[in-house]
Amino acid sequence: MIDGFNFAYLDEATKRMIRRTILKAICIPGYQCPFGGREMPLAYGWGTGGIQVTASIIGMNDTLKVIDQGADDTTNAISIKNFFKKVCKIKTTEVTENATIIQTRHRIPEKKLSEHQILVYQVPQPEPLRRLEPKEQETRKLHAYEEYALMHVKLYEEISHYGSVIKTYAYPVRTNRRYITDPSPTPKFDNPKMDFMEALQLFGAGRERRIYAIPPYTSVKSLDFEDHPFEIQTWDERCDICGSNNSYLDEIIVNDKGEKKFICSDTNYCEKNIKT
Amino acid sequence: MIIKDKILEVKNLTHYYGEQVGCEDISFDLYQGEILGIVGESGSGKSTLLKCLSGQISPSQGIINFCIDQNQPLQDLCKISEQKKRALMRKEWGIVQQNPRDGLRLRVSAGGNIAERIINEEIKNYSNIRHKALDWMDKTEMEKSRIDDFPLNFSGGMQQRLQISKILSSNPKLVYMDEPTGGLDVSVQAKLLDTITIIVRDLNVSMIIVSHDLAVVKFLTDKLLVMKSGMVVESGLTDRVLDDPQHSYTQLLTSSILQV
Ligand SMILES: Nc1ncnc2c1ncn2[C@@H]1O[C@H](COP(=O)(O)OP(=O)(O)O)[C@@H](O)[C@H]1O
Ligand SMILES: [Mg+2]
Ligand SMILES: [Zn+2]
């Protein structure tokens, strides 16, 4: 369509195949559906899974926002955005509420998402049980038969060795009371936002060729013990730029003396907060 | 007389590895709380029989009926789903491997190893799980202070105690042990067997234990199967079989130890 590219880069047959996988994923919340992932014009680990999902669902009237570590202006976010500008000629935005599709790595925007939006995650490792059980055939059985004791053994181990669960990102959740799902690699701070989110959440893992989904208004619970309940990160500091005390803060070192400042990781949220 | 529940019924069980006979035409019953010994020389089919019984291999022929629910008739193991079989393995059965490393997660602490089978039942409360794990370490005479240590730092005897703690923590109906003291020093073996005897009697759990050591078997078991070339050549109450062996092979076996 444009300079020898089909709209959104992928050919229509591939997009249909990916859409079928997405539909299946939505029907079985949290279940990792295999798909015939394509080679993309960038390396694995740079969001090829997310890009294929976005390319399959994007239309001419969509407005795209891309974030990396919560920021719209990082190299990776900008190059993905430029890619879609080039192959779709669509509008892009940094304003969370103006986007119809938000592709992300690491963060969920602070601003509450709506039914009119889709959040696409770039996922490096979709299998939450992988580090506990290396065999793919076995992890599939563990999911199929809901044999999830191992996951709690992991939490047991962390509490026993460190006094609390130390995992701060890719913190495992149970989706729709059924499949254990990896929200990777978002910080656990964002886990509560996934629970009954109004927006559709789609997860694409390029290297592992898996797509999974959390439909709107679906229960997403972080795993824990009743005497060691799940907790999100908190900070004593406020954002140095906007003064926010309830957003996810990044720690930055500001001079050679090692002096530290804290600023919002969600740059669009931070800008809005200064204005109001 | 107390009528005990039958928990296992084995009929004409046969397993071939290709042309090679693993075990052949084996039948017996096991009742709640009974301890059955299997003896026989190396290669006589003891491990094959145990693997068939515990669902690790599917037998070529024969029937294994197991009591899944006390209020229902025994069920044919070959006919239940893989899911159900795996659930049995996690809860109702315990398989104590000869090499404890095969039955333990080496990168998970002692407590975590025991916790896994407890978590299958009750996953809500960390403190409860930990207390139960400590209790089991106590029962198997392990030092409770080592709950957070990793199995690789344990002696062979301690690893085996840990494996037994792990298996028993789910209150299984039936425990399988294949030469549980096989790789250990003689003095360690004796102590471990003491522990096993006390716990197993205390819990009234049923057990099938393979051993080539007749002293162990005499000490621990109620009933005995004597195997040779894949077949059971003699069976009965342990004391009867050892004191008054009928088959020439059993006579040969017993003559070698009972004189000592
Ligand atoms: N995986 C196998 N493949 C082929 N033959 C086997 C296998 N395992 C055992 N066997 C054979 O089956 C027979 C019984 O072996 P096994 O059950 O291991 O005896 P035991 O435990 O009494 O030493 C032996 O002849 C053995 O060589
Ligand atoms: Mg053997
Ligand atoms: Zn800010």
Side-chain angles (χ1 to χ4, degrees):
Chain A
M1 186 187 151
I2 311 158
D3 305 337
F5 285 113
N6 190 32
F7 178 79
Y9 185 78
L10 295 174
D11 62 84
E12 292 305 313
T14 300
K15 285 198 254 176
R16 267 197 297 276
M17 176 271 292
I18 293 176
R19 279 183 217 130
R20 273 198 299 272
T21 309
I22 291 172
L23 287 174
K24 181 173 167 190
I26 293 169
C27 294
I28 320 171
Y31 172 75
Q32 301 164 48
C33 301
F35 78 110
R38 293 291 186 261
E39 295 292 329
M40 295 301 284
L42 79 169
Y44 291 130
W46 293 97
T48 54
I51 290 173
Q52 290 178 78
V53 169
T54 301
S56 304
I57 58 169
I58 202 162
M60 310 224 185
N61 298 324
D62 273 310
T63 305
L64 179 69
K65 171 183 165 84
V66 182
I67 48 174
D68 188 0
Q69 304 280 8
D72 295 86
D73 55 2
T74 56
T75 320
N76 192 225
I78 289 174
S79 61
I80 292 175
K81 209 151 52 175
N82 286 341
F83 171 76
F84 280 109
K85 263 192 203 159
K86 186 169 177 185
V87 298
C88 302
K89 296 234 153 61
I90 42 106
K91 278 182 286 180
T92 62
T93 183
E94 295 194 356
V95 182
T96 301
E97 58 270 34
N98 291 349
T100 54
I101 299 173
I102 302 170
Q103 182 171 326
T104 178
R105 173 188 168 82
H106 298 122
R107 288 302 317 282
I108 298 173
E110 306 292 358
K111 168 114 191 150
K112 195 164 180 267
L113 301 183
S114 75
E115 281 182 12
H116 310 289
Q117 298 178 300
I118 299 176
L119 185 59
V120 177
Y121 297 75
Q122 304 165 201
V123 177
Q125 174 48 265
E127 179 49 73
L129 299 164
R130 178 63 67 236
R131 241 173 276 156
L132 302 166
E133 174 55 65
K135 291 192 277 324
E136 172 68 17
Q137 205 186 6
E138 183 63 14
T139 50
R140 287 203 196 192
K141 282 185 184 170
L142 296 179
H143 282 294
Y145 302 147
E146 277 187 85
E147 295 179 8
Y148 285 144
L150 255 187
M151 208 73 237
H152 269 88
V153 170
K154 181 82 168 49
L155 301 185
Y156 168 94
E157 288 289 284
E158 293 197 2
I159 295 169
S160 300
H161 292 293
Y162 309 109
S164 64
V165 177
I166 52 158
K167 203 159 177 49
T168 52
Y169 66 95
Y171 191 107
V173 296
R174 190 101 188 227
T175 300
N176 202 25
R177 304 210 184 106
R178 178 59 181 86
Y179 286 97
I180 287 187
T181 312
D182 197 332
S184 84
T186 50
K188 66 176 182 177
F189 180 87
D190 288 337
N191 279 18
K193 296 179 189 160
M194 302 172 78
D195 188 30
F196 282 86
M197 186 189 276
E198 291 173 23
L200 169 64
Q201 304 175 71
L202 300 176
F203 300 76
R207 193 191 296 110
E208 309 275 332
R209 296 187 157 86
R210 291 282 190 286
I211 288 172
Y212 49 107
I214 300 173
Y217 306 104
T218 300
S219 133
V220 176
K221 296 282 177 257
S222 304
L223 302 182
D224 62 2
F225 292 108
E226 62 186 10
D227 49 347
H228 286 265
F230 171 81
E231 282 170 355
I232 60 171
Q233 293 101 323
T234 54
W235 289 263
D236 296 331
E237 297 81 3
R238 285 167 172 267
C239 171
D240 200 63
I241 301 171
C242 74
S244 168
N245 64 350
N246 56 13
S247 89
Y248 186 88
L249 300 180
D250 282 335
E251 187 182 312
I252 51 167
I253 293 176
V254 289
N255 59 26
D256 289 347
K257 286 181 218 133
E259 229 177 288
K260 282 184 270 181
K261 276 185 182 168
F262 290 83
I263 57 166
C264 293
S265 112
D266 184 336
T267 49
N268 181 248
Y269 169 86
C270 196
E271 281 162 26
K272 286 258 155 113
N273 227 13
I274 302 170
K275 286 181 192 151
T276 51
Chain B
M1 191 178 116
I2 304 162
I3 299 169
K4 290 182 182 170
D5 292 319
K6 193 194 275 187
I7 64 161
L8 187 68
E9 196 174 67
V10 179
K11 288 183 196 157
N12 313 107
L13 186 71
T14 299
H15 188 72
Y16 297 104
Y17 298 99
E19 299 279 288
Q20 169 72 45
V21 175
C23 62
E24 199 166 20
D25 198 25
I26 291 169
S27 304
F28 67 91
D29 293 337
L30 189 75
Y31 291 81
Q32 183 65 49
E34 259 181 357
I35 301 181
L36 174 74
I38 305 176
V39 294
E41 62 197 9
S42 179
S44 58
K46 306 182 296 292
S47 295
T48 303
L49 173 58
L50 212 64
K51 282 181 189 154
C52 290
L53 297 177
S54 57
Q56 298 176 79
I57 52 181
S58 311
S60 316
Q61 282 165 41
I63 293 171
I64 305 165
N65 289 325
F66 182 73
C67 169
I68 290 172
D69 180 340
Q70 253 147 1
N71 304 316
Q72 290 191 5
L74 305 191
Q75 286 191 39
D76 187 343
L77 266 193
C78 302
K79 294 201 180 121
I80 65 171
S81 66
E82 184 188 35
Q83 179 171 18
K84 192 97 191 228
K85 206 184 274 182
R86 286 171 66 107
L88 284 174
M89 282 190 181
R90 291 198 313 272
K91 162 82 178 85
E92 304 290 0
W93 297 337
I95 302 166
V96 176
Q97 308 285 349
Q98 173 170 3
N99 184 346
R101 293 178 180 208
D102 296 337
L104 294 171
R105 293 186 191 277
L106 301 178
R107 288 201 266 161
V108 169
S109 70
N113 266 286
I114 304 171
E116 185 171 347
R117 280 176 78 104
I118 301 171
I119 287 169
N120 279 318
E121 303 293 295
E122 144 73 51
I123 62 162
K124 290 196 189 75
N125 192 290
Y126 171 85
S127 311
N128 289 353
I129 293 167
R130 194 161 171 90
H131 279 131
K132 280 186 189 166
L134 282 166
D135 254 12
W136 278 107
M137 291 181 76
D138 206 29
K139 282 188 189 140
T140 51
E141 292 166 43
M142 299 182 68
E143 279 173 56
K144 290 203 265 184
S145 62
R146 303 206 59 185
I147 185 166
D148 295 327
D149 292 352
F150 293 93
L152 275 181
N153 301 328
F154 287 8
S155 67
M158 275 305 147
Q159 287 179 352
Q160 198 54 290
R161 283 171 195 271
L162 177 58
Q163 193 190 186
I164 291 166
S165 293
K166 171 178 184 156
I167 295 299
L168 293 178
S169 69
S170 69
N171 293 317
K173 269 206 192 80
L174 177 54
V175 175
Y176 298 100
M177 295 194 186
D178 193 349
E179 313 223 20
T181 61
L184 304 173
D185 293 345
V186 178
S187 63
V188 177
Q189 282 191 20
K191 280 196 213 130
L192 181 57
L193 281 168
D194 271 348
T195 312
I196 293 175
T197 314
I198 293 166
I199 307 181
V200 167
R201 293 289 181 207
D202 191 39
L203 293 174
N204 195 31
V205 60
S206 315
M207 183 162 83
I208 301 183
I209 180 167
V210 165
S211 179
H212 57 248
D213 185 338
L214 287 190
V216 166
V217 159
K218 187 173 174 60
F219 185 55
L220 199 59
T221 67
D222 305 310
K223 293 200 301 195
L224 199 57
L225 302 180
V226 182
M227 290 183 70
K228 187 174 189 308
S229 314
M231 315 260 282
V232 170
V233 295
E234 184 160 1
S235 64
L237 295 175
T238 303
D239 289 340
R240 203 282 297 152
V241 173
L242 294 183
D243 294 343
D244 182 21
Q246 303 296 304
H247 192 276
S248 58
Y249 177 69
T250 322
Q251 288 165 0
L252 192 74
L253 274 183
T254 50
S255 64
S256 57
I257 83 137
L258 293 182
Q259 299 159 348
V260 186

